[in-house]
Amino acid sequence: MERKVVVVVAVSVAAVACGMAAAAVGWRVRKRREWKKAVRVVREVEEECETSVERLRQVVDAMAVEMHAGLASEGGSKLKMLLTHVHNLPNGSERGTYYALDLEGTYFRVLRVHLNGQQSAILEHEVELQTIPQHLLTSTSKDFFDFIASSLKEFVEKEDDSELSVARRKELGLTFSFPIKQISVCSGILITWTKGFSIVDMVRKDVPACLQEALVRKGLDLRVAALVNDTVGTLALGHYHDADTVAAIVIGTSTNACYLERTDAIIKCQGLLTTSRSMVVNMEWGNFWSSHLPRTSYDIDLNAESPNPNDQGFEKMISGMYLGDIVRRIILKMSLESDILGHISSKFSMPFILSTPMIAAMHEDDSPNLREVERILKDILEIPDVPLKVRKLMMKVCGIVTRRAARLAAAGIIGILKKIGRDGSGGITGGRRSDMKMRRTVVAIEGGLYSNYTLFREYLHEALHEILGEDIAKHVILKVTEDGSGIGTALLAASHSSNNVDRI
Ligand code: BGC
């Protein structure tokens, strides 16, 4: 009897053990299957984001072709190729005290810059930062500019009556980084708002005139001498320090580029005469589009759900505003197709919850156990206890999206160089490389994505070298400027000042 009991117990234990082993095997098989599904999502996106040198060269050509089209006729391309009427870039001889007003979005800055007429020697500058009350972003142009003019008045009146500022009419450069149709260097009509602004009565109005009227209302004798896009301010500052600077890029939350073009190439504005025979063109390159851009279903969805579908297509692939959200969409797909992240938190469905600085922090996490990735997944997306190998996969997704953005930005830059014959190929019609003497070419660059995200910057440089080849690439220098949209704009106010009429 006793023996029988022992046998029954032994059989039961064995059966349970077998059951457990089978369950463990089943669990492992299922886990492996789920893992493979997640990896498949990543592999697919990697393939779709592929930016081989061949593809990048197609993007370079498309950019140059679209630039031609945008210069040939109004509306000839998605690239607006806006005339800025800036044809004299600062060269270091500017002297005096000038102001700049930089309207950035949720805040604005005012600057006072003292110049002493010696190259590269900005005597000093003071900056004041102010928040724009949210309700003014959707109010009337009068309310908006009255608020700005009051703050400006306070700032200007704090000035001491130093030798530099007496007996000169005070002048200001206005940085207004929205698409503007400029009529002269100091006037221009707003085409459309971006970045959350929606002061409806301002569209199609002359922006500096609105500011000038508000300054008069507040009794401030300050002339708006230049209306400037942030890229143009960046180019001005770059050129002030280095005369080989021919183009400027802003790549941060949003993106854009400008460059110095020959006036005879601006076909849509025949008979344009400038003393320098050139003019800075604001490309508004965020709106560039080409079928050669590697577009994924995530980009298509992001575009469809954005407030401006079919606009700013290039910006949506390469700028800081969107990279985090592309990553979020990919991770969401992974978690819907597999269970590697466990329960899907509602945070996942919140657009823009994952910002680009967060993906930079995940991507550049060099701690052995990817603690930063773990922290962001837990604190931001509310996904705790993500295993290390899954964290590595997340990091890879950040890399794929960032690499594509940086490489496309590099192709865009080379597209500009190609258009102006500075890519070593002899311009858009081609030429024999060996005949060409490549000139030193400097591109001024600003924006947090480039300045703060090391891997983005490295990918961009790597692509630049791959596309151009080492011999040409060594002549192309990307130079970070600091505060082009502030100091650069003040420099443009100086070079277009009525106190300096001989220079205009
Ligand atoms: C604007 C450009 C600006 C860029 C960078 C874009 O959204 O349309 O004018 O230069 O942002 O600030």
Side-chain angles (χ1 to χ4, degrees), residues 210-229:
C210 291
L211 173 61
Q212 197 71 68
E213 283 160 19
L215 293 174
V216 171
R217 280 196 293 275
K218 298 288 163 193
L220 179 60
D221 187 19
L222 185 64
R223 170 182 170 260
V224 183
L227 169 67
V228 175
N229 183 266

Side-chain angles (χ1 to χ4, degrees), residues 176-179 194-195 229-231 250 254-256 282 284 312 315:
F176 197 73
S177 302
F178 302 91
T194 53
K195 309 178 201 181
N229 183 266
D230 52 357
T231 54
V250 169
S254 38
T255 184
N256 191 10
N282 166 15
E284 288 293 327
Q312 300 297 97
E315 183 163 85

Side-chain angles (χ1 to χ4, degrees), residues 373-385:
V373 180
E374 186 178 34
R375 188 191 66 75
I376 290 172
L377 289 173
K378 181 161 163 277
D379 294 356
I380 309 297
L381 295 176
E382 290 179 356
I383 323 169
D385 310 319

Side-chain angles (χ1 to χ4, degrees), residues 214-474:
L215 293 174
V216 171
R217 280 196 293 275
K218 298 288 163 193
L220 179 60
D221 187 19
L222 185 64
R223 170 182 170 260
V224 183
L227 169 67
V228 175
N229 183 266
D230 52 357
T231 54
V232 182
T234 302
L235 179 58
L237 185 57
H239 195 269
Y240 181 81
H241 290 303
D242 189 331
D244 288 334
T245 310
V246 292
I249 314 295
V250 169
I251 185 146
T253 309
S254 38
T255 184
N256 191 10
C258 74
Y259 72 107
L260 205 54
E261 180 59 279
R262 291 184 344 263
T263 40
D264 60 6
I266 309 177
I267 315 282
K268 65 181 172 186
C269 205
Q270 291 245 331
L272 195 63
L273 288 176
T274 65
T275 45
S276 63
R277 295 203 182 134
S278 57
M279 184 178 285
V280 176
V281 173
N282 166 15
M283 294 174 60
E284 288 293 327
W285 88 350
N287 205 32
F288 168 65
W289 190 251
S290 155
S291 58
H292 296 298
L293 292 170
R295 200 183 201 196
T296 66
S297 57
Y298 308 101
D299 301 304
I300 294 171
D301 292 348
L302 183 145
N303 174 57
E305 290 161 30
S306 71
N308 55 347
N310 302 331
D311 276 341
Q312 300 297 97
F314 196 46
E315 183 163 85
K316 285 174 185 159
M317 275 190 173
I318 71 168
S319 84
M321 172 112 79
Y322 302 100
L323 300 190
D325 206 53
I326 301 174
V327 169
R328 177 191 68 86
R329 285 166 187 275
I330 301 168
I331 300 182
L332 177 60
K333 171 93 182 283
M334 282 164 70
S335 61
L336 290 173
E337 301 233 326
S338 78
D339 73 354
I340 60 160
L341 288 172
H343 169 73
I344 306 168
S345 100
S346 59
K347 288 281 160 112
F348 260 135
S349 321
M350 291 170 68
F352 298 101
I353 185 146
L354 202 58
S355 68
T356 298
M358 286 173 199
I359 71 156
M362 298 213 280
H363 188 195
E364 297 185 334
D365 184 356
D366 56 5
S367 66
N369 288 320
L370 303 186
R371 290 286 163 232
E372 192 55 20
V373 180
E374 186 178 34
R375 188 191 66 75
I376 290 172
L377 289 173
K378 181 161 163 277
D379 294 356
I380 309 297
L381 295 176
E382 290 179 356
I383 323 169
D385 310 319
V386 177
L388 182 59
K389 76 172 182 176
V390 178
R391 299 205 290 271
K392 284 188 180 158
L393 207 55
M394 303 289 135
M395 195 180 203
K396 185 166 178 168
V397 173
C398 299
I400 293 169
V401 174
T402 301
R403 185 169 181 271
R404 178 186 68 162
R407 289 172 72 81
L408 291 177
I413 294 171
I414 300 173
I416 300 173
L417 301 186
K418 179 161 190 143
K419 168 68 187 70
I420 57 174
R422 297 281 194 125
D423 69 328
S425 73
I428 195 158
T429 47
R432 296 223 316 274
R433 265 174 189 240
S434 51
D435 297 346
M436 300 291 302
K437 180 149 180 3
M438 181 69 192
R439 286 161 65 190
R440 183 174 176 273
T441 297
V442 180
V443 177
I445 192 157
E446 263 188 38
L449 194 56
Y450 182 85
S451 308
N452 305 333
Y453 194 167
T454 310
L455 287 173
F456 177 91
R457 199 165 56 237
E458 285 177 10
Y459 289 147
L460 193 154
H461 288 186
E462 186 181 64
L464 212 71
H465 281 248
E466 279 177 33
I467 304 169
L468 288 173
E470 292 306 321
D471 285 352
I472 304 293
K474 66 179 181 233

Side-chain angles (χ1 to χ4, degrees), residues 39-49 298 333:
V39 170
R40 195 179 324 121
V41 172
V42 178
R43 200 167 294 141
E44 274 167 16
V45 80
E46 193 171 25
E47 276 165 24
E48 286 168 5
C49 287
Y298 308 101
K333 171 93 182 283

